[in-house]
């Protein structure tokens, strides 16, 4: 079964540092997403990406965050100047169609710990 | 009002019991509905889609009431392996994203 792959599985970083979370979506998917889940809280939408540009972003996704699909394979989330409250599980997801929720596949996540 | 609202639980039931979860959503423009399952510290995984006519997948039955903006999930003959958090998920027609409820924790005891 096709998978969404995320690396690293766990990243520890010092406050103020920049981190890049990496994702390899399913190869024939066209829509890409980042979600995050703070420990003990709900899964929150960050950003959706289609046709090499952001389709939609939440109020969480401010200037500290950026996404990129640099090589047609990887889909990255960059967090600049990390804060303690950025500590969370970050999930990448991809879908073949934007309006088919059943087609969303999530990666196993990157646990980001900011110290 | 939250976009997607669920009873957080926890529900603690014996193996073999029937358990039901409810979910309400606030946006009447919502297009599609799903139940996802999330195990501790794992990614959400699709359990089943929810259709207006109701649908069943083995021991799991999902129902949608658009008039009341209400979704339900029924689990019959619960197994120890059903212990997880169940997430109510809504897709809005105007947006290319899915919205998660906070989840309902289920614990099945032997």
């Amino acid at each position: 079964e096709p998978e969404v792959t995320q690396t690293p599985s766990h990243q520890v970083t010092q406050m103020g540092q920049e981190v890049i979370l990496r994702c390899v979506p399913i190869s024939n998917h066209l829509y890409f997403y980042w979600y995050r889940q703070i420990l003990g809280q709900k899964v929150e939408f960050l950003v959706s990406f289609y046709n090499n540009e952001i389709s939609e972003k939440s109020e969480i996704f401010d200037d500290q965050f950026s996404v990129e699909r640099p090589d047609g394979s990887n889909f990255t989330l960059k967090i600049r100047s990390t804060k303690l409250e950025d500590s969370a599980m970050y999930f990448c997801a991809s879908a073949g169609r934007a309006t088919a929720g059943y087609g969303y596949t999530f990666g196993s996540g990157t646990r980001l710990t900011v110290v | 009002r939250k976009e997607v609202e669920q009873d957080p639980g926890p529900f603690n039931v014996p193996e073999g019991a029937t358990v039901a979860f409810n979910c309400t959503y606030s946006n009447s423009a919502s297009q599609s509905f799903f139940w996802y399952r999330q195990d501790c510290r794992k990614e959400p995984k699709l359990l089943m889609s929810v259709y207006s006519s109701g649908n069943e997948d083995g021991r799991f039955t999902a129902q949608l009431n658009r008039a009341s903006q209400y979704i339900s999930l029924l689990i019959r003959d619960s197994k120890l392996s059903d212990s997880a958090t169940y997430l109510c998920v809504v897709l809005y027609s105007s947006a290319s994203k899915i919205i998660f409820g906070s989840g309902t924790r289920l614990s099945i005891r032997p």
Side-chain angles (χ1 to χ4, degrees):
Chain A
E1 188 174 327
E3 287 184 342
V4 173
T5 305
Q6 288 187 244
T7 55
S9 57
H10 191 186
Q11 172 123 25
V12 181
T13 190
Q14 291 210 321
M15 194 167 54
Q17 296 296 304
E18 175 182 287
V19 295
I20 297 177
L21 310 184
R22 302 181 191 281
C23 170
V24 178
I26 292 174
S27 62
N28 61 347
H29 280 183
L30 302 175
Y31 299 86
F32 313 110
Y33 309 85
W34 283 101
Y35 284 77
R36 81 169 185 192
Q37 187 174 33
I38 295 170
L39 187 64
Q41 297 186 24
K42 62 185 282 187
V43 178
E44 300 175 291
F45 169 75
L46 291 178
V47 65
S48 59
F49 191 87
Y50 170 71
N51 200 26
N52 285 318
E53 61 183 26
I54 291 174
S55 321
E56 187 166 351
K57 59 184 181 179
S58 71
E59 56 192 28
I60 301 169
F61 194 89
D62 58 21
D63 292 342
Q64 186 193 3
F65 295 87
S66 61
V67 290
E68 198 176 37
R69 189 159 159 78
D71 56 11
S73 173
N74 291 284
F75 178 51
T76 62
L77 174 69
K78 182 188 289 186
I79 309 174
R80 287 179 284 275
S81 189
T82 49
K83 300 176 282 206
L84 293 176
E85 54 265 38
D86 294 327
S87 295
M89 192 74 143
Y90 288 81
F91 293 109
C92 173
S94 69
R97 288 164 51 198
T99 55
Y102 60 79
Y104 282 65
T105 301
F106 283 82
S108 56
T110 293
R111 180 167 299 282
L112 177 65
T113 303
V114 182
V115 297
Chain B
R1 186 178 170 187
K2 292 180 185 176
E3 290 182 285
V4 182
E5 200 150 1
Q6 295 182 249
D7 180 344
F11 285 65
N12 189 325
V13 302
E15 201 173 0
T18 295
V19 61
F21 305 135
N22 303 319
C23 169
T24 56
Y25 60 95
S26 61
N27 190 331
S28 58
S30 300
Q31 180 182 49
S32 306
F33 309 89
F34 311 90
W35 284 102
Y36 274 67
R37 169 193 169 127
Q38 186 175 30
D39 293 292
C40 188
R41 295 177 180 259
K42 301 283 189 181
E43 73 273 25
K45 290 188 177 178
L46 178 65
L47 180 65
M48 60 195 302
S49 302
V50 187
Y51 305 119
S52 297
S53 54
N55 50 299
E56 191 173 305
D57 183 2
R59 299 181 292 108
F60 299 84
T61 301
Q63 295 277 353
L64 166 64
N65 184 321
R66 283 189 185 270
S68 302
Q69 295 181 200
Y70 169 95
I71 306 158
S72 66
L73 177 69
L74 183 77
I75 305 175
R76 289 181 299 277
D77 188 24
S78 52
K79 312 289 184 193
L80 295 175
S81 57
D82 293 335
S83 296
T85 297
Y86 289 83
L87 307 172
C88 178
V89 177
V90 173
L91 174 71
Y92 293 115
S93 57
S94 59
S96 60
K97 64 183 180 184
I98 53 177
I99 303 296
F100 286 83
S102 299
T104 299
R105 280 198 295 127
L106 173 65
S107 178
I108 308 296
R109 63 180 188 269

